[in-house]
Amino acid sequence: LVTLTESGGGSVQAGGSLSLLCVVDGYTVHSGCMGWFRQAPGKEREGVARIYQPLHLRLSNGEVYADSVKGRFTISQDNTQNTVHLQMTNLKPEDTAIYYCGVLRECELRPDLVRHWGQGTQVTVSS
């Protein structure tokens, strides 16, 4: 059984920062691609960032970001803790959404390629 548990969401003002954590059990994060996704009210789920970080290998293109978050969000992975992080800075009201962590079948930032989802964590950014 694969479980993903997100935490770290909350309410901040525009320009603020939050750090999201995804704890993964039953799957080894460095064996494939992991991603963060989000879903705003009334909108479809969309990709935020994905990472591929195998053991003992640092890839130059290991992280991919959606254009809307480039330069503001950073995805990282701790292979010893089996966790994935999303550091979010300079948050904007349009970043308000439920944020989900996912195990990807293929290394593309597409929600339809996620085979295991977490339950999500709410991020709310006020202006």
Side-chain angles (χ1 to χ4, degrees), residues 2-82:
V2 177
T3 61
L4 297 87
T5 305
E6 301 96 334
S7 62
S11 297
V12 295
Q13 291 190 326
S17 300
L18 283 173
S19 181
L20 304 184
L21 173 68
C22 175
V23 178
V24 183
D25 189 32
Y27 177 82
T28 304
V29 297
H30 63 75
S31 62
C33 280
M34 299 292 300
W36 281 98
F37 299 80
R38 65 186 181 186
Q39 188 165 18
K43 295 188 176 181
E44 293 187 353
R45 196 167 296 190
E46 64 177 2
V48 175
R50 73 100 172 120
I51 185 168
Y52 178 53
Q53 185 179 311
L55 277 178
H56 312 304
L57 185 65
R58 179 65 181 169
L59 301 174
S60 61
N61 61 343
E63 296 86 36
V64 170
Y65 297 91
D67 288 343
S68 59
V69 306
K70 279 181 183 175
R72 300 188 298 121
F73 290 12
T74 302
I75 188 171
S76 61
Q77 184 173 295
D78 187 329
N79 289 335
T80 60
Q81 298 293 322
N82 214 45

